[in-house]
Amino acid sequence: MNTRLTRTLTSITFALAVLSGLVFAGKGVTHMFDDGAVCVETHFWRNAPLADSLPTVKGVTASASTERLCQDSPSVGQRAADLGGELPWLLFASLALLLFSRLMKAVVRQGPFTDTVAQRLSVLGWFVAVGTPLAGLVAGWSHSWLVASMAPMVGSGPEVSGSLAGVLAGLAAVIMGKIMRQGVRMREDLEGTI
């Protein structure tokens, strides 16, 4: 196994995790204190010319060509809901990269076929399998609420953004972690009998 490459990958992954965390914090702070308009895309009127007669809240402009709603002076809740579309994914990415970095650090220190590596692979897998739909639900709900706060008749209820590929990848990592843990136990039993 190429330990230099693994160490480099571990360092890069940790740096990306820290960078994602900083972007998460910076975006949250700067966006909450921004006094500009909040815009959201909706595909409600994609096939209908409703932009001129769309029932919107006071201060909201609707654009049919871009399918966007913009609130000139948004409330704190609208600004937070606007952040809710991006911040869950940034937090998810930061934590997933941190868990992956820990996994790679264990590989460098102890080797790939150890109980610690198997456990960390399972933890990463469960985090990805559960965190993907959870981040998607928070982002989708925030988007739906923001649209409903600007055009009450357009709001369609909570939605989930993102894909289920992350769930499948997470479950695959959990299964691989279980297989590795079983292999580690078999190797320990074999070494004990020799």
Side-chain angles (χ1 to χ4, degrees), residues 63-181:
S63 169
S65 61
T66 59
E67 300 175 351
R68 289 172 61 104
L69 298 169
C70 291
Q71 176 79 43
D72 291 330
S73 50
S75 67
V76 173
Q78 287 173 321
R79 196 164 294 288
D82 187 35
L83 276 174
E86 297 176 46
L87 288 187
W89 291 113
L90 284 172
L91 180 62
F92 172 76
S94 178
L95 293 175
L97 285 168
L98 187 63
L99 289 173
F100 184 73
S101 174
R102 289 189 62 219
L103 169 69
M104 295 307 293
K105 190 181 291 187
V107 168
V108 168
R109 287 185 181 162
Q110 301 172 1
F113 303 108
T114 63
D115 196 43
T116 304
V117 171
Q119 281 182 320
R120 289 186 181 177
L121 182 60
S122 292
V123 168
L124 176 63
W126 280 117
F127 179 79
V128 171
V130 173
T132 299
L134 187 61
L137 184 63
V138 171
W141 180 82
S142 296
H143 180 268
S144 296
W145 186 88
L146 186 58
V147 169
S149 73
M150 292 183 192
M153 301 302 237
V154 176
S156 62
E159 58 185 56
V160 178
S161 68
S163 71
L164 294 177
V167 175
L168 296 176
L171 292 176
V174 170
I175 292 168
M176 287 304 299
K178 298 272 185 196
I179 291 171
M180 284 179 65
R181 186 172 292 150

Side-chain angles (χ1 to χ4, degrees), residues 45 48-56 62-65:
W45 64 82
L50 297 174
D52 297 332
S53 62
L54 191 66
T56 59
S63 169
S65 61

